[in-house]
Amino acid sequence: MTRSNRPSLGALLFFAFAFAIGTYFTFAAVQGDFGLFRRVEIGAERNALQQNLATLDSEVARMENLTRRLSDDYLDLDLLDQQARSVLGLLRSDEIVIR
């Protein structure tokens, strides 16, 4: 009896199956729902949302400043005059409107 140097069919099937499983898990680790590409997308989305939050925070601070300036405790007459002109359309007697 001579032994051949060829691997048996069972060993080939085992390594082919192990390679296929390894390839599948590698693909899932890169492309899957919890993979590397999804992590990069989530990071980019987080950065965009943080910029949006910073913009909204500055807008809220501006609105709080305007509200405080029109409150009973602190009244800014220039801001009150500006709001009366823009919202109510009021004019002074010495002004001329050109449309």
Side-chain angles (χ1 to χ4, degrees):
M1 285 201 203
T2 59
R3 291 188 66 132
S4 72
N5 289 339
R6 280 186 349 172
S8 68
L9 182 61
L12 285 177
L13 288 176
F14 174 75
F15 284 114
F17 180 73
F19 179 74
I21 293 293
T23 303
Y24 171 75
F25 283 120
T26 302
F27 178 78
V30 173
Q31 294 279 348
D33 290 339
F34 302 103
L36 296 175
F37 289 152
R38 182 66 180 141
R39 179 174 280 205
V40 170
E41 288 176 2
I42 289 171
E45 185 178 348
R46 184 194 68 216
N47 291 340
L49 289 173
Q50 283 177 340
Q51 290 176 351
N52 191 14
L53 178 64
T55 303
L56 291 175
D57 282 341
S58 66
E59 182 69 19
V60 166
R62 186 184 73 80
M63 297 297 272
E64 285 176 349
N65 182 27
L66 289 175
T67 303
R68 187 184 65 79
R69 288 171 53 194
L70 287 175
S71 68
D72 292 336
D73 299 333
Y74 178 85
L75 183 61
D76 187 358
L77 295 177
D78 291 331
L79 181 62
L80 181 64
D81 184 52
Q82 176 188 355
Q83 290 295 320
R85 289 168 182 269
S86 65
V87 175
L88 301 175
L90 297 178
L91 299 173
R92 288 190 218 142
S93 61
D94 60 342
E95 292 180 335
I96 300 173
V97 177
I98 299 174
R99 293 184 184 194

